[in-house]
Short mmCIF file of all heavy atoms in Angstrom, two decimals:
data_model
loop_
_atom_site.label_atom_id
_atom_site.label_comp_id
_atom_site.label_asym_id
_atom_site.label_seq_id
_atom_site.Cartn_x
_atom_site.Cartn_y
_atom_site.Cartn_z
N LEU M 1131 -63.52 -14.26 -195.17
CA LEU M 1131 -64.57 -14.88 -196.14
C LEU M 1131 -65.89 -14.03 -196.12
O LEU M 1131 -66.46 -13.81 -197.18
CB LEU M 1131 -64.74 -16.28 -195.94
CG LEU M 1131 -63.72 -17.24 -196.49
CD1 LEU M 1131 -64.00 -18.65 -196.02
CD2 LEU M 1131 -63.65 -17.19 -197.98
N ILE M 1132 -66.26 -13.64 -194.96
CA ILE M 1132 -67.52 -12.83 -194.78
C ILE M 1132 -67.48 -11.60 -195.66
O ILE M 1132 -68.41 -11.26 -196.23
CB ILE M 1132 -67.75 -12.51 -193.29
CG1 ILE M 1132 -68.05 -13.81 -192.46
CG2 ILE M 1132 -68.94 -11.58 -193.23
CD1 ILE M 1132 -68.11 -13.62 -191.00
N GLU M 1133 -66.28 -10.91 -195.63
CA GLU M 1133 -66.18 -9.63 -196.33
C GLU M 1133 -65.66 -9.73 -197.69
O GLU M 1133 -65.54 -8.73 -198.41
CB GLU M 1133 -65.27 -8.75 -195.49
CG GLU M 1133 -65.82 -8.42 -194.09
CD GLU M 1133 -64.93 -7.46 -193.34
OE1 GLU M 1133 -63.78 -7.17 -193.80
OE2 GLU M 1133 -65.38 -6.93 -192.30
N MET M 1134 -65.44 -10.98 -198.27
CA MET M 1134 -65.00 -11.16 -199.65
C MET M 1134 -66.09 -10.89 -200.54
O MET M 1134 -67.21 -11.41 -200.43
CB MET M 1134 -64.45 -12.49 -199.81
CG MET M 1134 -63.71 -12.77 -201.19
SD MET M 1134 -63.02 -14.40 -201.28
CE MET M 1134 -61.70 -14.37 -200.05
N GLU M 1135 -65.81 -10.01 -201.56
CA GLU M 1135 -66.88 -9.70 -202.58
C GLU M 1135 -67.22 -11.04 -203.35
O GLU M 1135 -66.31 -11.80 -203.58
CB GLU M 1135 -66.46 -8.56 -203.48
CG GLU M 1135 -66.28 -7.23 -202.83
CD GLU M 1135 -67.72 -6.77 -202.26
OE1 GLU M 1135 -68.72 -7.16 -202.88
OE2 GLU M 1135 -67.62 -5.94 -201.33
N ALA M 1136 -68.40 -11.09 -203.85
CA ALA M 1136 -68.95 -12.30 -204.49
C ALA M 1136 -68.06 -12.65 -205.69
O ALA M 1136 -67.74 -13.77 -205.95
CB ALA M 1136 -70.37 -12.08 -204.87
N GLU M 1137 -67.73 -11.59 -206.52
CA GLU M 1137 -66.92 -11.86 -207.73
C GLU M 1137 -65.56 -12.49 -207.37
O GLU M 1137 -65.08 -13.46 -208.07
CB GLU M 1137 -66.71 -10.61 -208.51
CG GLU M 1137 -68.02 -9.97 -209.13
CD GLU M 1137 -68.78 -9.10 -208.11
OE1 GLU M 1137 -68.36 -9.05 -206.96
OE2 GLU M 1137 -69.71 -8.45 -208.60
N ARG M 1138 -64.94 -11.94 -206.36
CA ARG M 1138 -63.60 -12.46 -206.04
C ARG M 1138 -63.70 -13.90 -205.46
O ARG M 1138 -62.88 -14.80 -205.76
CB ARG M 1138 -62.96 -11.56 -204.95
CG ARG M 1138 -61.53 -12.04 -204.70
CD ARG M 1138 -60.80 -11.25 -203.56
NE ARG M 1138 -59.69 -12.02 -203.05
CZ ARG M 1138 -59.16 -11.94 -201.92
NH1 ARG M 1138 -59.65 -11.12 -201.03
NH2 ARG M 1138 -58.06 -12.61 -201.54
N PHE M 1139 -64.73 -14.13 -204.60
CA PHE M 1139 -64.91 -15.45 -204.06
C PHE M 1139 -65.11 -16.43 -205.18
O PHE M 1139 -64.50 -17.58 -205.12
CB PHE M 1139 -66.09 -15.55 -203.15
CG PHE M 1139 -66.44 -16.83 -202.62
CD1 PHE M 1139 -65.67 -17.45 -201.58
CD2 PHE M 1139 -67.48 -17.58 -203.21
CE1 PHE M 1139 -66.05 -18.73 -201.17
CE2 PHE M 1139 -67.76 -18.94 -202.77
CZ PHE M 1139 -67.04 -19.44 -201.76
N LEU M 1140 -65.95 -16.12 -206.13
CA LEU M 1140 -66.19 -17.04 -207.21
C LEU M 1140 -64.87 -17.32 -207.97
O LEU M 1140 -64.56 -18.46 -208.28
CB LEU M 1140 -67.21 -16.43 -208.14
CG LEU M 1140 -67.52 -17.20 -209.44
CD1 LEU M 1140 -68.02 -18.66 -209.11
CD2 LEU M 1140 -68.55 -16.52 -210.32
N GLU M 1141 -64.16 -16.27 -208.30
CA GLU M 1141 -62.85 -16.45 -209.01
C GLU M 1141 -61.90 -17.37 -208.30
O GLU M 1141 -61.28 -18.26 -208.85
CB GLU M 1141 -62.23 -15.08 -209.27
CG GLU M 1141 -60.88 -15.20 -210.03
CD GLU M 1141 -60.25 -13.86 -210.18
OE1 GLU M 1141 -60.75 -12.84 -209.66
OE2 GLU M 1141 -59.22 -13.81 -210.88
N GLU M 1142 -61.78 -17.11 -206.93
CA GLU M 1142 -60.92 -17.94 -206.10
C GLU M 1142 -61.35 -19.35 -206.02
O GLU M 1142 -60.54 -20.32 -206.08
CB GLU M 1142 -60.78 -17.28 -204.71
CG GLU M 1142 -60.11 -15.94 -204.63
CD GLU M 1142 -58.56 -16.08 -204.72
OE1 GLU M 1142 -58.10 -17.12 -204.28
OE2 GLU M 1142 -57.99 -15.10 -205.26
N ALA M 1143 -62.67 -19.56 -205.78
CA ALA M 1143 -63.21 -20.93 -205.67
C ALA M 1143 -62.92 -21.74 -206.92
O ALA M 1143 -62.52 -22.92 -206.84
CB ALA M 1143 -64.65 -20.87 -205.29
N VAL M 1144 -63.28 -21.12 -208.07
CA VAL M 1144 -63.11 -21.85 -209.36
C VAL M 1144 -61.65 -22.24 -209.53
O VAL M 1144 -61.33 -23.33 -209.96
CB VAL M 1144 -63.62 -21.01 -210.51
CG1 VAL M 1144 -63.18 -21.63 -211.85
CG2 VAL M 1144 -65.11 -20.82 -210.42
N ARG M 1145 -60.74 -21.28 -209.27
CA ARG M 1145 -59.31 -21.53 -209.46
C ARG M 1145 -58.79 -22.55 -208.48
O ARG M 1145 -58.10 -23.54 -208.88
CB ARG M 1145 -58.53 -20.22 -209.28
CG ARG M 1145 -57.00 -20.45 -209.41
CD ARG M 1145 -56.35 -19.11 -209.42
NE ARG M 1145 -56.48 -18.43 -208.18
CZ ARG M 1145 -55.72 -18.67 -207.10
NH1 ARG M 1145 -54.81 -19.55 -207.10
NH2 ARG M 1145 -55.94 -17.92 -205.98
N ARG M 1146 -59.13 -22.46 -207.15
CA ARG M 1146 -58.53 -23.26 -206.16
C ARG M 1146 -59.10 -24.71 -206.19
O ARG M 1146 -58.42 -25.65 -205.81
CB ARG M 1146 -58.79 -22.67 -204.73
CG ARG M 1146 -58.00 -21.38 -204.56
CD ARG M 1146 -58.31 -20.73 -203.09
NE ARG M 1146 -57.63 -19.53 -202.92
CZ ARG M 1146 -56.30 -19.42 -202.53
NH1 ARG M 1146 -55.63 -20.50 -202.32
NH2 ARG M 1146 -55.81 -18.17 -202.41
N LEU M 1147 -60.34 -24.80 -206.64
CA LEU M 1147 -60.94 -26.14 -206.63
C LEU M 1147 -61.10 -26.77 -208.11
O LEU M 1147 -61.73 -27.72 -208.20
CB LEU M 1147 -62.36 -26.12 -206.02
CG LEU M 1147 -62.44 -26.07 -204.51
CD1 LEU M 1147 -62.04 -24.69 -203.95
CD2 LEU M 1147 -63.73 -26.53 -203.97
N CYS M 1148 -60.46 -26.09 -209.05
CA CYS M 1148 -60.42 -26.65 -210.44
C CYS M 1148 -61.80 -26.97 -210.89
O CYS M 1148 -62.13 -28.04 -211.37
CB CYS M 1148 -59.55 -27.92 -210.49
SG CYS M 1148 -57.87 -27.60 -210.12
N VAL M 1149 -62.78 -26.00 -210.83
CA VAL M 1149 -64.17 -26.26 -210.98
C VAL M 1149 -64.50 -26.26 -212.51
O VAL M 1149 -64.20 -25.37 -213.18
CB VAL M 1149 -64.98 -25.19 -210.28
CG1 VAL M 1149 -66.45 -25.39 -210.56
CG2 VAL M 1149 -64.68 -25.20 -208.80
N LYS M 1150 -65.20 -27.34 -212.92
CA LYS M 1150 -65.76 -27.45 -214.26
C LYS M 1150 -67.28 -27.47 -214.30
O LYS M 1150 -67.84 -27.24 -215.37
CB LYS M 1150 -65.22 -28.82 -214.94
CG LYS M 1150 -63.67 -28.83 -214.97
CD LYS M 1150 -63.12 -27.65 -215.78
CE LYS M 1150 -61.58 -27.71 -215.89
NZ LYS M 1150 -61.07 -26.50 -216.51
N TRP M 1151 -67.90 -27.84 -213.18
CA TRP M 1151 -69.32 -27.79 -213.07
C TRP M 1151 -69.68 -27.12 -211.69
O TRP M 1151 -68.94 -27.41 -210.66
CB TRP M 1151 -69.97 -29.14 -213.07
CG TRP M 1151 -70.30 -29.62 -214.43
CD1 TRP M 1151 -69.52 -30.37 -215.22
CD2 TRP M 1151 -71.59 -29.46 -215.09
NE1 TRP M 1151 -70.23 -30.65 -216.44
CE2 TRP M 1151 -71.46 -30.17 -216.36
CE3 TRP M 1151 -72.74 -28.79 -214.82
CZ2 TRP M 1151 -72.49 -30.20 -217.28
CZ3 TRP M 1151 -73.77 -28.84 -215.77
CH2 TRP M 1151 -73.63 -29.56 -216.97
N ILE M 1152 -70.67 -26.29 -211.60
CA ILE M 1152 -71.19 -25.81 -210.36
C ILE M 1152 -72.66 -26.21 -210.21
O ILE M 1152 -73.42 -26.00 -211.17
CB ILE M 1152 -71.01 -24.33 -210.23
CG1 ILE M 1152 -69.56 -23.91 -210.11
CG2 ILE M 1152 -71.76 -23.76 -208.94
CD1 ILE M 1152 -69.27 -22.40 -209.99
N VAL M 1153 -73.03 -26.74 -209.10
CA VAL M 1153 -74.40 -27.24 -208.81
C VAL M 1153 -74.85 -26.50 -207.56
O VAL M 1153 -74.34 -26.70 -206.51
CB VAL M 1153 -74.43 -28.75 -208.55
CG1 VAL M 1153 -75.81 -29.21 -208.32
CG2 VAL M 1153 -73.88 -29.48 -209.85
N VAL M 1154 -75.92 -25.75 -207.74
CA VAL M 1154 -76.49 -24.98 -206.56
C VAL M 1154 -77.99 -24.99 -206.60
O VAL M 1154 -78.65 -25.24 -207.64
CB VAL M 1154 -75.96 -23.48 -206.52
CG1 VAL M 1154 -74.47 -23.44 -206.37
CG2 VAL M 1154 -76.42 -22.79 -207.82
N GLY M 1155 -78.56 -24.65 -205.38
CA GLY M 1155 -79.99 -24.52 -205.36
C GLY M 1155 -80.40 -23.13 -205.93
O GLY M 1155 -79.59 -22.20 -205.95
N LYS M 1156 -81.63 -22.96 -206.25
CA LYS M 1156 -82.06 -21.69 -206.87
C LYS M 1156 -82.02 -20.45 -205.89
O LYS M 1156 -81.79 -19.36 -206.34
CB LYS M 1156 -83.58 -21.79 -207.36
CG LYS M 1156 -84.03 -20.75 -208.30
CD LYS M 1156 -85.29 -21.05 -208.97
CE LYS M 1156 -85.64 -20.12 -210.05
NZ LYS M 1156 -86.92 -20.50 -210.72
N ASP M 1157 -82.04 -20.72 -204.59
CA ASP M 1157 -81.99 -19.68 -203.60
C ASP M 1157 -80.60 -19.46 -203.00
O ASP M 1157 -80.34 -18.73 -202.07
CB ASP M 1157 -82.94 -19.98 -202.47
CG ASP M 1157 -82.55 -21.24 -201.70
OD1 ASP M 1157 -81.75 -22.02 -202.22
OD2 ASP M 1157 -83.01 -21.41 -200.55
N PHE M 1158 -79.50 -20.06 -203.65
CA PHE M 1158 -78.21 -19.99 -203.12
C PHE M 1158 -77.65 -18.50 -203.27
O PHE M 1158 -77.84 -17.92 -204.32
CB PHE M 1158 -77.29 -20.94 -203.86
CG PHE M 1158 -75.79 -20.70 -203.58
CD1 PHE M 1158 -75.26 -21.05 -202.28
CD2 PHE M 1158 -74.90 -20.24 -204.48
CE1 PHE M 1158 -73.98 -20.86 -201.96
CE2 PHE M 1158 -73.58 -20.09 -204.21
CZ PHE M 1158 -73.08 -20.38 -202.89
N ARG M 1159 -77.07 -18.00 -202.25
CA ARG M 1159 -76.48 -16.65 -202.16
C ARG M 1159 -75.09 -16.71 -201.62
O ARG M 1159 -74.78 -17.55 -200.76
CB ARG M 1159 -77.30 -15.71 -201.35
CG ARG M 1159 -78.78 -15.59 -201.76
CD ARG M 1159 -78.92 -15.06 -203.17
NE ARG M 1159 -78.57 -13.67 -203.26
CZ ARG M 1159 -79.38 -12.67 -203.30
NH1 ARG M 1159 -80.75 -12.91 -203.15
NH2 ARG M 1159 -78.94 -11.40 -203.43
N PHE M 1160 -74.16 -15.88 -202.04
CA PHE M 1160 -72.79 -15.97 -201.56
C PHE M 1160 -72.14 -14.58 -201.64
O PHE M 1160 -72.67 -13.64 -202.36
CB PHE M 1160 -72.02 -16.97 -202.39
CG PHE M 1160 -71.82 -16.63 -203.82
CD1 PHE M 1160 -70.61 -16.06 -204.27
CD2 PHE M 1160 -72.81 -16.83 -204.77
CE1 PHE M 1160 -70.42 -15.63 -205.63
CE2 PHE M 1160 -72.62 -16.56 -206.07
CZ PHE M 1160 -71.51 -15.99 -206.55
N GLY M 1161 -70.99 -14.44 -200.98
CA GLY M 1161 -70.26 -13.21 -201.03
C GLY M 1161 -70.69 -12.08 -200.09
O GLY M 1161 -71.76 -12.29 -199.36
N HIS M 1162 -70.00 -11.00 -199.95
CA HIS M 1162 -70.27 -9.91 -199.02
C HIS M 1162 -71.72 -9.39 -199.34
O HIS M 1162 -72.08 -9.18 -200.46
CB HIS M 1162 -69.27 -8.81 -199.26
CG HIS M 1162 -69.29 -7.74 -198.19
ND1 HIS M 1162 -69.25 -6.43 -198.52
CD2 HIS M 1162 -69.54 -7.81 -196.85
CE1 HIS M 1162 -69.34 -5.76 -197.44
NE2 HIS M 1162 -69.53 -6.56 -196.44
N ASN M 1163 -72.46 -9.33 -198.26
CA ASN M 1163 -73.86 -8.92 -198.31
C ASN M 1163 -74.73 -9.69 -199.17
O ASN M 1163 -75.77 -9.35 -199.65
CB ASN M 1163 -73.94 -7.44 -198.73
CG ASN M 1163 -73.40 -6.41 -197.70
OD1 ASN M 1163 -73.49 -6.61 -196.55
ND2 ASN M 1163 -72.81 -5.32 -198.23
N ARG M 1164 -74.29 -10.98 -199.43
CA ARG M 1164 -75.11 -11.98 -200.12
C ARG M 1164 -75.39 -11.48 -201.52
O ARG M 1164 -76.46 -11.78 -202.06
CB ARG M 1164 -76.33 -12.38 -199.38
CG ARG M 1164 -76.02 -13.00 -198.06
CD ARG M 1164 -77.31 -13.15 -197.20
NE ARG M 1164 -78.42 -13.77 -197.91
CZ ARG M 1164 -78.65 -15.09 -197.99
NH1 ARG M 1164 -77.82 -15.93 -197.51
NH2 ARG M 1164 -79.76 -15.49 -198.65
#
């Protein structure tokens, strides 16, 4: 997960969790190298 690129992580998360809404803080960072 640390080395997963942000785009792939997002795609996987949306698919695996059946996401219809995403709620995050303004400073939220994710994916490889944030």
Side-chain angles (χ1 to χ4, degrees):
L1131 279 174
I1132 294 172
E1133 296 183 349
M1134 188 179 292
E1135 292 298 333
E1137 292 87 350
R1138 185 188 163 203
F1139 173 80
L1140 176 58
E1141 180 182 7
E1142 292 284 331
V1144 170
R1145 178 175 62 84
R1146 293 178 182 278
L1147 281 78
C1148 300
V1149 177
K1150 300 302 178 187
W1151 273 90
I1152 294 180
V1153 179
V1154 294
K1156 197 168 185 179
D1157 62 343
F1158 173 66
R1159 304 300 289 263
F1160 65 99
H1162 189 220
N1163 291 328
R1164 294 169 52 85

